């Protein structure tokens, strides 16, 4: 992606190291940073971006997420889809968004350790939650994900603490804010290195909390975590986050590895390197997982809503569909889409579009690459990606996507801007 000055190029390189470190090997031991990361310079205005700080927020009339009994077809008009970006807010290094059904607020996680809210299109000056004193922000660390329970009673955050280890924490919600005194750690995971923390959280259509974890870092998964079922690293987890049976959380009985010797019951799928954003199709329940590659390939994985779990996505035997170390694991699931690092540096997963404002995108999966920045899309049909195309607008340092209560999509920049994806 072109930059106007060497300073801006340097900012991108720094942000890349801090957030994804996707391409080059990294064998550095963990050294959590005590300093807050400063926001990168604002991106150069793009002609496809509309500056509109008062743009309307999603309405409270939007319906809750649901799982449909029949899959609606992908839009035949993807090839003709045209979009623009409307800037709705500026924050400090936004990395995740949550839009609970039943209200018109968008909750945004800032990497430095705060959760902010956009209410009826305006930024609430008071943070929803501030744990910046507890968060490490070096390399790919920080406050990396948030989720709000379907009943809106609890806020869950995924962050790396001052020791660089992952914590999944619960807060009781009241009046649209988290109660600091209600903090309860749900899950603690030691991180052997500073990179590949994953960090995303999402409640699925099943009401369970899904947690994406990277392989623990360094380069090439030196401990073989992604293929080992006795560790939570390199996995997609599925839990009941409320206390159960004397434990801090419950493990659903229908998880695929429950009761199996040598395997953790929390695991739903494995063989992941660093899942940087996954999402459920709100109309079908299908799951899309963007997994950041090592030296050559980026991938998007797909899981049908009918799956019973247990998928092995191949890392570190495979990088995408290509051999990385050893033989391909038996029965592995190849990605639905992959692209080489000639097109970027780290995939940023998005959402299947189920809004109403851009009919040509209906059913298409939107995603991007952190370095390349152009929003792109494909239609998934029978487990294959079809009609892939670049949609045009670029976002500098595109860190994450968001979805509001009406199914409209947003793109976030590590430089601070939040954009709504609108019809051109």
């Amino acid at each position: 992606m072109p930059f106007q000055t060497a300073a801006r190029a340097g900012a991108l390189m720094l942000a890349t190291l801090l957030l994804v470190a996707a391409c080059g090997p990294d064998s550095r031991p963990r050294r959590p940073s005590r300093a807050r990361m400063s926001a990168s310079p604002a991106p150069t205005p793009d002609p496809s971006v509309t500056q509109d700080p008062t743009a309307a927020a999603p309405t409270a009339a939007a319906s809750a997420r649901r799982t449909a009994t029949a899959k609606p077809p992908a839009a035949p008009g993807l090839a003709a889809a045209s979009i623009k970006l409307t800037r709705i807010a500026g924050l400090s290094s936004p990395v995740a968004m949550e839009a609970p059904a039943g209200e018109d607020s968008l909750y945004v996680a800032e990497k430095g350790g705060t959760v902010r809210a956009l209410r009826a299109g305006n930024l609430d000056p008071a943070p929803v939650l501030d744990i910046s004193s507890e968060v490490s922000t070096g390399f790919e660390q920080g406050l990396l994900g948030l989720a709000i329970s379907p009943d809106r009673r609890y806020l869950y955050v995924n962050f790396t603490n001052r020791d660089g280890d992952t914590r999944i924490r619960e807060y009781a919600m009241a009046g649209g804010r988290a109660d600091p005194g209600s903090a309860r750690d749900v899950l603690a995971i030691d991180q052997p290195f500073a990179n590949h923390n994953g960090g995303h959280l999402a409640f699925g259509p099943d009401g369970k909390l899904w947690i994406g974890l990277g392989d623990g870092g360094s380069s090439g998964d030196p401990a073989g975590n992604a293929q080992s079922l006795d560790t939570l690293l390199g996995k997609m987890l599925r839990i009941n986050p409320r206390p159960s049976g004397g434990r801090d959380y419950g493990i659903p009985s229908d998880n695929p590895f429950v009761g199996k010797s040598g395997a953790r019951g929390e695991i739903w799928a494995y063989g992941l390197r660093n899942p940087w954003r996954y999402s459920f199709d709100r109309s079908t329940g299908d799951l899309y997982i963007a997994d950041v590659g090592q030296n050559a390939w980026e991938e998007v994985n797909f899981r049908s809503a009918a799956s019973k779990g247990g998928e092995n996505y191949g890392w570190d035997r495979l990088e995408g569909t290509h051999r990385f170390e050893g033989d391909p694991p038996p029965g592995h699931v190849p990605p639905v889409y992959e692209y080489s690092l000639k097109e970027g540096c780290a995939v940023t997963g998005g959402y299947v579009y189920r809004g109403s404002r851009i009919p040509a995108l209906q059913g298409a999966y939107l995603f991007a690459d952190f370095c390349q920045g152009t929003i792109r899309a494909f239609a998934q049909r029978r487990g294959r990606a079809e009609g892939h195309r670049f949609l045009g607008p670029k976002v500098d340092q595109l860190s994450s996507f968001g979805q509001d209560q009406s199914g409209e999509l947003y793109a976030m920049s590590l430089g601070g801007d939040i954009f709504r994806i609108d019809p051109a």
Side-chain angles (χ1 to χ4, degrees):
M1 187 172 186
F3 292 92
Q4 302 301 315
T5 66
R8 291 190 66 211
L12 175 59
M13 293 176 64
L14 174 60
T16 303
L17 287 172
L18 289 171
L19 183 63
V20 291
C23 303
D26 185 353
S27 59
R28 294 169 293 187
R30 185 178 65 211
R31 294 179 182 174
S33 169
R34 299 283 174 174
R36 294 287 302 277
M37 186 185 77
S38 59
S40 302
T44 300
D46 188 296
S48 62
V49 174
T50 300
Q51 302 295 325
D52 183 8
T54 62
T59 65
S63 61
R65 293 182 177 89
R66 64 195 183 279
T67 300
T69 56
K71 179 181 293 186
L78 174 57
S82 181
I83 66 171
K84 66 179 181 180
L85 301 175
T86 301
R87 183 184 184 274
I88 65 165
L91 280 78
S92 176
S93 303
V95 293
M97 178 184 290
E98 175 76 331
E103 54 179 282
D104 61 0
S105 298
L106 300 176
Y107 294 84
V108 181
E110 297 178 314
K111 187 176 182 293
T114 51
V115 176
R116 308 295 300 275
L118 295 168
R119 305 189 194 277
N122 299 308
L123 179 63
D124 190 333
V128 174
L129 176 70
D130 186 348
I131 56 170
S132 55
S133 63
E134 300 183 59
V135 170
S136 56
T137 56
F139 304 123
E140 297 168 40
Q141 301 168 332
L143 173 56
L144 302 175
L146 81 161
I148 294 176
S149 60
D151 60 9
R152 292 185 286 160
R153 294 179 59 192
Y154 301 101
L155 168 71
Y156 295 89
V157 291
N158 185 335
F159 68 96
T160 53
N161 65 12
R162 287 294 186 177
D163 292 325
D165 295 319
T166 291
R167 295 291 182 268
I168 311 299
R169 183 176 292 175
E170 174 192 272
Y171 291 88
M173 290 285 284
R177 304 196 190 284
D179 174 11
S182 67
R184 183 181 70 87
D185 282 349
V186 176
L187 186 60
I189 301 107
D190 291 339
Q191 293 285 358
F193 295 90
N195 57 337
H196 301 182
N197 301 300
H200 194 44
L201 294 176
F203 277 93
D206 54 6
K208 307 298 189 294
L209 182 63
W210 294 66
I211 304 167
L213 291 172
D215 64 11
S218 188
S219 175
D221 193 9
N225 291 323
Q227 290 294 317
S228 299
L229 293 174
D230 61 355
T231 175
L232 301 181
L233 296 172
K235 310 297 190 301
M236 187 65 68
L237 311 182
R238 176 178 180 258
I239 67 171
N240 292 310
R242 296 294 295 151
S244 175
R247 300 177 51 132
D248 292 326
Y249 59 91
I251 298 176
S253 60
D254 58 346
N255 275 6
F257 299 105
V258 168
K260 295 189 177 181
S261 177
R264 296 289 299 265
E266 299 95 330
I267 297 171
W268 180 268
Y270 63 114
L272 295 167
R273 182 177 180 272
N274 193 30
W276 188 250
R277 302 321 185 209
Y278 49 90
S279 64
F280 294 91
D281 182 338
R282 63 191 292 155
S283 291
T284 68
D286 295 337
L287 174 66
Y288 292 75
I289 308 169
D291 197 20
V292 178
Q294 176 72 34
N295 294 319
W297 296 94
E298 303 296 305
E299 66 185 84
V300 177
N301 296 298
F302 171 79
R303 185 225 69 169
S304 166
S307 166
K308 302 299 182 183
E311 290 89 354
N312 182 351
Y313 293 111
W315 176 255
D316 67 337
R317 304 284 191 85
L318 297 167
E319 184 183 8
T321 59
H322 309 267
R323 289 198 183 198
F324 182 81
E325 185 173 79
D327 295 326
H332 72 276
V333 179
V336 68
Y337 184 79
E338 65 178 8
Y339 64 93
S340 79
L341 262 69
K342 294 178 182 178
E343 297 181 35
C345 74
V347 65
T348 299
Y351 290 84
V352 173
Y353 181 76
R354 295 297 181 189
S356 61
R357 304 184 71 218
I358 317 175
L361 285 182
Q362 188 64 221
Y365 176 72
L366 275 64
F367 66 110
D369 183 275
F370 176 75
C371 289
Q372 199 276 339
T374 303
I375 296 174
R376 53 207 292 181
F378 64 75
Q380 183 280 133
R381 293 187 178 92
R382 297 175 295 278
R384 298 183 61 182
E386 298 182 2
H388 172 269
R389 58 168 297 218
F390 292 90
L391 295 175
K394 292 185 177 183
V395 176
D396 227 2
Q397 305 171 52
L398 202 162
S399 60
S400 193
F401 287 84
Q403 177 179 234
D404 70 21
Q405 291 90 340
S406 299
E408 302 301 331
L409 301 186
Y410 298 74
M412 288 166 273
S413 165
L414 200 64
D417 288 329
I418 299 178
F419 302 101
R420 189 180 60 228
I421 300 173
D422 284 338

